[in-house]
């Protein structure tokens, strides 16, 4: 009898499944850990921010190398494909040779970038410095010439002597500002300049290390991509993992196409601006071209932002040329926005002009200059994700996905899922239960009356 009781107890213990309790305990533990993390973020925000800043400073060369490798990748890929096409058909050990070709292509890409950068510095920087020095040295003479030009103009409502009064007030204000604000803080400015010089040295060191890291990123980029996808497919369910990988490829298309295309577009616009200013005999041609080309990186508002200082500089020197420059930049902006930009960028973002302006305004308001540069591709990614989600939900309900199909829709028939446009008036109250009473159509009634008479 005692043996039977022991056997029954053993069977009961074997039937007792501990896995649900382990799952509940693990869930409680995870919730507890998440609560600790949330409270740590709330109450230790300053310390966490400082720790993140320190970590970002340590990882800055790696981040610079990753960004440069991403930007160098299109050029490296073309060099790699060309070398592989020339060398691989003539050798037997293709894997080893292919890795050697990848290393050579990455180094060649870095050398081409350094050569182009050095050539630009050699050609542009000395002339740019000379233009700035000439502008500073001739500023007073140019201002006097501009005042004489203005005084010779005759138009209604003009008051002589206004310019001299304003200039005297501005001169007194600058003198007082220098004595009261600049001179007492000179020691602080010296310390700030010293720290800035140290920061410049550190930044140059990080850039040099980043250039070296970019070569390794280019060599191992397929390996890194494979590792990332392996982790995703190991952790995330297959269906969601496929969607995540597809979204990552789309994000790469948007950011890569926009950033690289915008850089090429800005270089072309800078060259066209230089040629046009040289033909028009503009003063400070190189300085104006560099400003217009650099600011053109900012979408939509870039040419206008660059036009303001350029027009002011040229107008002070020669008012007529300032007017010519303003007209030329406006024409150049239209050519870039309607011809050059779409040809280079294509439909990389998929945003309309309204959403481009919206993304620039929100990005600049939240993140400053970086938001103006990267707000458009970042918002394009968000727009794409929302668009895919809406398309998925509409597809589940057997509804069309095109936005134009809903322009004149008043309601959707619950049974047939048909988009209806003309069987009820917008100001008529909607009846949730049963059918809606149709608005009588005078033409239909007239036709029916004629048929009855016949």
């Amino acid at each position: 009898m005692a043996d039977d009781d022991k056997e029954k107890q053993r069977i009961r213990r074997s039937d007792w499944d501990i896995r649900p309790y382990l799952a509940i305990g693990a869930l409680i533990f995870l919730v507890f850990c998440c609560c600790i993390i949330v409270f740590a973020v709330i109450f230790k925000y300053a310390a966490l921010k400082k720790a993140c800043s320190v970590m970002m400073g340590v990882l800055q060369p790696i981040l610079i190398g990753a960004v440069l490798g991403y930007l160098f990748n299109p050029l490296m890929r073309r060099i790699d494909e060309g070398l592989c096409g020339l060398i691989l058909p003539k050798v037997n050990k293709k894997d080893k040779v292919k890795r050697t070709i990848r290393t050579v292509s990455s180094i060649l890409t870095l050398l081409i970038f350094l050569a182009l950068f050095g050539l630009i510095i050699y050609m542009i920087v000395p002339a740019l410095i000379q233009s700035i020095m000439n502008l500073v040295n001739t500023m007073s003479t140019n201002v006097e010439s501009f005042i004489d030009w203005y005084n010779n103009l005759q138009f209604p409502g003009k008051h002589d002597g206004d310019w001299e009064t304003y200039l005297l007030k501005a001169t007194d204000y600058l003198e007082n500002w220098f004595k009261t604000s600049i001179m007492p803080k000179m020691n602080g400015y010296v310390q700030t300049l010293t720290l800035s010089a140290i920061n410049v040295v550190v930044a140059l060191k990080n850039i040099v290390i980043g250039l070296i890291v970019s070569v390794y990123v280019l060599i191992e980029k397929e390996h890194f991509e494979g590792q990332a996808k392996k982790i995703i497919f190991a952790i995330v369910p297959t269906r969601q993992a496929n969607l995540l990988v597809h979204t990552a490829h789309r994000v790469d298309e948007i950011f890569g196409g926009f950033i690289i295309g915008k850089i090429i577009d800005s270089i072309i616009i800078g060259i066209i601006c230089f040629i046009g200013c040289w033909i028009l005999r503009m003063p400070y041609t190189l300085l104006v071209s560099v400003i217009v080309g650099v600011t053109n990186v900012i979408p939509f508002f870039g040419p206008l932002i660059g036009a303001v200082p350029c027009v002011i500089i040229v107008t002070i020197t020669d008012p007529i040329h300032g007017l010519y420059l303003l007209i030329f930049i406006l024409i150049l902006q239209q050519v870039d926005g309607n011809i050059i930009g779409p040809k280079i960028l294509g439909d990389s973002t998929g945003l309309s002009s309204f959403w481009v302006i919206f993304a620039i305004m929100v990005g600049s308001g939240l993140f400053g200059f970086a938001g103006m540069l990267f707000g458009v591709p970042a918002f394009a990614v968000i727009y794409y994700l929302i668009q895919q989600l809406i398309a998925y939900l509409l597809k589940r309900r057997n509804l069309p996905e095109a936005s134009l199909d809903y322009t004149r829709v008043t309601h959707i028939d619950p049974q047939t899922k048909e988009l209806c446009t003309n069987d009820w008036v917008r100001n008529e109250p909607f009846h949730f239960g049963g059918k809606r009473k149709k608005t009588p159509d005078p033409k239909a009634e007239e036709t029916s009356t004629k048929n009855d008479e016949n």
Side-chain angles (χ1 to χ4, degrees):
M1 190 70 179
D3 293 337
D4 292 339
D5 293 338
K6 290 180 180 179
E7 183 66 22
K8 290 179 180 179
Q9 291 178 359
R10 188 182 65 79
I11 292 173
R12 288 195 194 97
R13 286 171 187 160
S14 63
D15 291 340
W16 185 56
D17 191 1
I18 197 174
R19 288 178 293 179
Y21 301 97
L22 289 175
I24 294 172
L27 180 61
I28 294 173
F29 178 75
L30 289 175
V31 172
F32 185 71
C33 291
C34 291
C35 292
I36 292 175
I37 292 172
V38 170
F39 279 106
V41 170
I42 293 174
F43 293 103
K44 299 292 184 181
Y45 176 74
L48 288 174
K49 185 178 180 181
K50 184 177 180 181
C52 291
S53 299
V54 173
M55 184 60 66
M56 291 296 292
V58 173
L59 296 177
Q60 190 176 19
I62 305 297
L63 296 175
I64 292 174
V67 172
L68 292 176
Y70 184 77
L71 295 176
F72 294 163
N73 184 53
L75 177 61
M76 187 280 298
R77 189 169 60 245
R78 285 176 172 79
I79 297 174
D80 187 70
E81 291 174 355
L83 292 177
C84 287
L86 290 174
I87 298 174
L88 285 183
K90 302 177 183 178
V91 296
N92 295 324
K93 298 180 179 180
K94 297 185 182 299
D95 292 335
K96 292 183 178 180
V97 175
K98 187 180 292 186
R99 185 169 180 82
T100 304
I101 291 174
R102 171 57 59 82
T103 304
V104 172
S105 302
S106 303
I107 295 174
L108 282 176
T109 302
L110 179 60
L111 292 177
I112 290 172
F113 169 76
L114 292 176
L116 290 175
F117 185 76
L119 182 63
I120 292 172
I121 294 293
Y122 176 77
M123 292 177 61
I124 293 180
V125 172
L128 196 61
I129 293 174
Q130 186 64 37
S131 298
I132 295 173
M133 294 300 296
N134 291 335
L135 178 64
V136 172
N137 293 330
T138 60
M139 180 62 71
S140 59
T141 305
N142 292 332
V143 170
E144 293 176 359
S145 301
F146 183 77
I147 292 173
D148 294 337
W149 172 81
Y150 175 80
N151 291 332
N152 292 327
L153 292 177
Q154 298 294 331
F155 56 87
K158 178 188 171 184
H159 299 285
D160 294 333
D162 287 348
W163 279 100
E164 290 82 352
T165 304
Y166 294 146
L167 284 176
L168 289 175
K169 290 181 179 180
T171 304
D172 294 338
Y173 174 78
L174 290 175
E175 186 177 354
N176 293 330
W177 173 74
F178 185 79
K179 291 180 180 178
T180 57
S181 300
I182 301 298
M183 293 301 293
K185 301 177 182 179
M186 190 59 68
N187 292 331
Y189 291 143
V190 172
Q191 294 177 359
T192 303
L193 289 174
T194 304
L195 293 175
S196 300
I198 295 173
N199 292 331
V200 168
V201 173
V202 173
L204 290 175
K205 182 203 71 173
N206 291 335
I207 291 173
V208 171
I209 298 175
L211 289 171
I212 298 172
V213 171
S214 67
V215 176
Y216 291 99
V217 170
L218 292 174
I219 294 173
E220 300 289 341
K221 68 185 185 71
E222 284 87 2
H223 185 62
F224 293 149
E225 183 180 357
Q227 286 178 333
K229 291 180 179 178
K230 181 174 70 174
I231 294 172
I232 291 173
F233 285 112
I235 298 175
V236 184
T238 305
R239 196 169 183 178
Q240 288 77 12
N242 291 332
L243 179 61
L244 189 60
V245 171
H246 172 75
T247 303
H249 283 293
R250 180 56 182 162
V251 171
D252 174 62
E253 290 177 2
I254 293 174
F255 266 88
F258 179 82
I259 295 173
I260 296 174
K262 201 62 184 173
I263 292 173
I264 296 173
D265 177 51
S266 299
I267 293 173
I268 293 174
I269 291 300
I271 294 172
I272 294 175
C273 183
F274 177 82
I275 295 172
C277 291
W278 180 75
I279 293 173
L280 295 173
R281 305 293 182 184
M282 293 285 177
Y284 311 110
T285 298
L286 186 61
L287 179 61
V288 170
S289 304
V290 170
I291 293 174
V292 171
V294 170
T295 55
N296 192 68
V297 178
I298 302 173
F300 197 82
F301 294 109
L304 297 178
I305 295 173
V308 173
C310 294
V311 171
I312 292 174
I313 292 171
V314 175
T315 301
I316 292 174
T317 305
D318 191 336
I320 300 300
H321 279 88
L323 179 61
Y324 293 162
L325 179 63
L326 179 62
I327 297 172
F328 173 71
I329 291 179
L330 291 176
I331 295 173
L332 185 62
Q333 182 197 22
Q334 295 300 315
V335 172
D336 178 46
N338 296 303
I339 300 175
I340 300 176
K343 288 291 183 182
I344 297 175
L345 297 175
D347 194 19
S348 60
T349 60
L351 297 178
S352 63
S353 299
F354 171 80
W355 290 118
V356 170
I357 298 174
F358 177 83
I360 294 171
M361 299 300 293
V362 174
S364 61
L366 294 178
F367 304 104
F369 183 73
M372 296 184 73
L373 291 178
F374 303 108
V376 173
F379 183 80
V381 172
I382 299 173
Y383 186 89
Y384 170 76
L385 295 176
I386 296 175
Q387 190 179 41
Q388 293 298 109
L389 176 62
I390 297 299
Y392 171 73
L393 296 176
L394 291 173
K395 189 176 181 180
R396 286 186 59 183
R397 299 183 180 183
N398 296 321
L399 295 174
E401 301 177 12
S403 300
L404 292 177
D405 294 336
Y406 296 87
T407 303
R408 299 180 58 83
V409 169
T410 55
H411 73 285
I412 297 176
D413 190 281
Q415 282 77 29
T416 63
K417 302 296 182 182
E418 181 183 358
L419 304 182
C420 303
T421 61
N422 58 356
D423 70 335
W424 68 289
V425 182
R426 292 182 185 271
N427 57 6
E428 180 182 320
F430 187 84
H431 301 280
F432 288 93
K435 296 183 178 180
R436 291 166 298 280
K437 183 179 179 181
K438 293 186 178 181
T439 303
D441 190 353
K443 294 183 178 179
E445 291 182 357
E446 184 179 351
T447 304
S448 177
T449 303
K450 290 181 179 179
N451 291 335
D452 292 340
E453 290 177 355
N454 294 330

